[in-house]
């Protein structure tokens, strides 16, 4: 029997009935549906709709359903259930099998509109906890790699042209900063979603005098939602989650792109481990960076999920509309994609092998100390614009001569400015070029050592228990 069949006399068209069911994808909300149903039972008990004994019986039956159907085999039974429309219907059917008509009483004072809104919030909140934990593991891998790199040097790039030398650790820490911003966005999303829709009814609020704080408190929400119409139709949290996931995907894709480039023979900065590469079925010599290419590709699905949600929500009138059923799959897809990427990234990152000699050679050629040379002249009292021009002329002369700046004689340098002295050569060594960037966030060696320590301190609190506690507190 359908949960809404009383008003209807005609059976559903079989094809439409199969097509409109959400159980094939919302089965994964079983743990959230069980938790929310138990919380609702507590609220009904406090309202004297259920006795304490009935409440205990219902909660025990719900726990038993969770145990039976959260295994891999049990999940298959949920997905393949012949008659349940959605996860709410499935749980009700199983509850009635266990406790008879008492199971039907649990739906008193609630609607599936508020149930799915609650389940999805619980799902996204839990997913965010896991994603932050996984992001912390990737950040830790990057920090470990940066520690191992020590004072190793590489070229930095702007416009994909060599720019200035930087420490390899400095480059790696750039991605740690991206990760920490991703964590911040996910935490922001958790804070805003951490209100409980239970008690909102179908649209106008529950018809019983329920104490909504009971369910909210049991489920770890900061408070009940403030408006019933908004509560059942709001999917901002889903959109925010997908958008945060898409930005995270962009960051992963940028990292993947750089590793893909650096692993080419043309760069030769990175040696890919065979355990994270594949070969060619046609060309025996190939070792392909399939992992990084897939990371790049999967970013597209994350951007697609965010776009799908925006498109679904943009024209919906208040309050609940069946269109909202379509918001679930993009959220699940985004969660699955991020989980998959973050499962492989820490191991892949730790396994990276840098060709430090090749990187060092690249950092010492191509006039990457030109900025340091201009800074040298600034310290001699030359205005920067003038210093820039003088060094530019010197670079052009060195290019024509086929040497680096430090390969020019002092007499050759002085044709571009009398400010050049013997101390110029010490000012444009690789070490001096690095250390002249002695500002917060710069690549000076001591600054990077401090930045590494600071990054480790910022990542350390992202352990799961601490994150979970903060999210459940609504912080």
């Amino acid at each position: 029997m359908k949960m809404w069949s009383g008003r209807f006399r005609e059976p559903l068209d079989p094809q439409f009935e199969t097509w409109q069911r959400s159980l094939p994808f919302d089965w994964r909300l079983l743990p959230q549906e069980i938790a929310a149903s138990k919380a609702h039972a507590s609220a009904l008990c406090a309202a004297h709709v259920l006795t304490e004994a009935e409440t205990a019986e219902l909660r025990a039956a719900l726990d038993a359903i969770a145990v039976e159907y959260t295994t891999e085999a049990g999940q298959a039974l949920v997905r393949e259930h012949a008659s349940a429309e959605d996860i709410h219907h499935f749980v009700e059917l199983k509850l009635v099998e266990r406790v008879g008509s008492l199971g039907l009483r649990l739906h008193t004072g609630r609607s599936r509109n508020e149930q799915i809104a609650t389940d999805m919030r619980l799902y996204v909140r839990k997913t965010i906890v896991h994603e932050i934990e996984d992001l912390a593991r990737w950040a830790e891998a990057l920090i470990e790699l940066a520690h191992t790199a020590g004072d190793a040097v590489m070229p930095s790039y702007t416009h994909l042209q060599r720019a200035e030398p930087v420490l390899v650790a400095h480059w790696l820490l750039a991605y740690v900063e991206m990760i920490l911003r991703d964590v911040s966005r996910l935490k922001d999303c958790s804070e805003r979603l951490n209100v409980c829709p239970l008690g909102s009814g179908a649209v106008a609020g529950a018809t019983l005098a329920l104490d909504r704080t009971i369910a909210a408190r049991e489920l770890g929400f900061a408070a009940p939602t403030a408006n019933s119409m908004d509560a059942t139709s709001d999917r901002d949290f889903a959109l925010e989650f997908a958008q945060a996931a898409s930005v995270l995907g962009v960051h992963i894709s940028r990292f993947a792109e750089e590793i893909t480039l650096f692993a080419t023979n043309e760069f030769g900065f990175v040696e890919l481990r065979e355990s994270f590469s594949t070969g060619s079925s046609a060309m025996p010599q190939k070792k392909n960076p399939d992992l990084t290419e897939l990371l790049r590709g999967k970013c597209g699905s994350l951007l697609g999920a965010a776009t799908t949600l925006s498109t679904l929500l943009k024209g919906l009138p208040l309050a609940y509309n069946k269109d909202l059923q379509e918001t679930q799959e993009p959220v699940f897809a985004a969660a699955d994609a991020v989980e998959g990427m973050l499962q492989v990234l820490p191991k892949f990152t730790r396994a990276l092998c840098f060709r430090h000699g090749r990187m060092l050679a690249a950092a010492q050629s191509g006039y990457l100390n030109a900025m340091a040379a201009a800074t040298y002249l600034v310290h001699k009292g030359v205005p920067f614009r003038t210093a820039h021009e003088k060094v530019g002329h010197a670079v052009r002369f060195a290019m024509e001569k086929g040497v680096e700046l430090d390969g020019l004689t002092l007499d050759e340098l002085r044709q571009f400015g009398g400010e050049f002295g013997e101390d110029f050569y010490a000012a444009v060594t690789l070490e001096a070029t690095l250390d002249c960037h002695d500002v917060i966030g710069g690549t000076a060696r001591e600054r990077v050592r401090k930045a590494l320590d600071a990054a480790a301190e910022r990542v350390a609190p992202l352990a799961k228990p601490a994150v979970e506690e903060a999210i459940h507190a609504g912080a």
Side-chain angles (χ1 to χ4, degrees), residues 279-299:
S280 165
S281 62
M283 295 169 281
Q285 84 282 9
K286 295 292 295 297
K287 183 169 68 170
N288 296 327
D290 282 24
L291 187 147
T292 52
E293 291 172 345
L294 280 171
L295 290 173
R296 246 180 4 206
K298 287 184 182 297
C299 174

Side-chain angles (χ1 to χ4, degrees), residues 297-309:
K298 287 184 182 297
C299 174
S301 64
L302 292 173
L303 292 166
T307 301
T308 297
L309 284 161

Side-chain angles (χ1 to χ4, degrees), residues 378-400:
V378 168
H379 288 308
K380 298 290 185 177
V382 180
F384 178 77
R385 288 299 178 201
T386 305
H388 186 287
E389 184 177 1
K390 288 175 181 284
V391 173
H393 288 311
V395 167
R396 168 58 64 184
F397 182 81
M399 289 172 66
E400 292 171 352

Side-chain angles (χ1 to χ4, degrees), residues 124 128 131 135 178-179 181-190 192 236-252 302-303 305-306 309 334 338 341:
V124 170
I128 286 174
E131 287 188 2
L135 280 168
M178 296 183 206
I179 289 170
R181 289 196 298 274
D182 291 324
V183 168
S184 177
R185 271 183 282 272
L186 289 168
K187 285 184 175 180
D188 285 347
C189 179
S190 283
R192 273 184 290 277
D236 287 1
F237 66 91
L239 178 58
E240 280 191 61
F241 168 72
Q243 288 171 334
S246 71
V247 176
L248 164 59
V250 168
H251 292 158
I252 292 174
L302 292 173
L303 292 166
L309 284 161
V338 171
M341 289 191 286

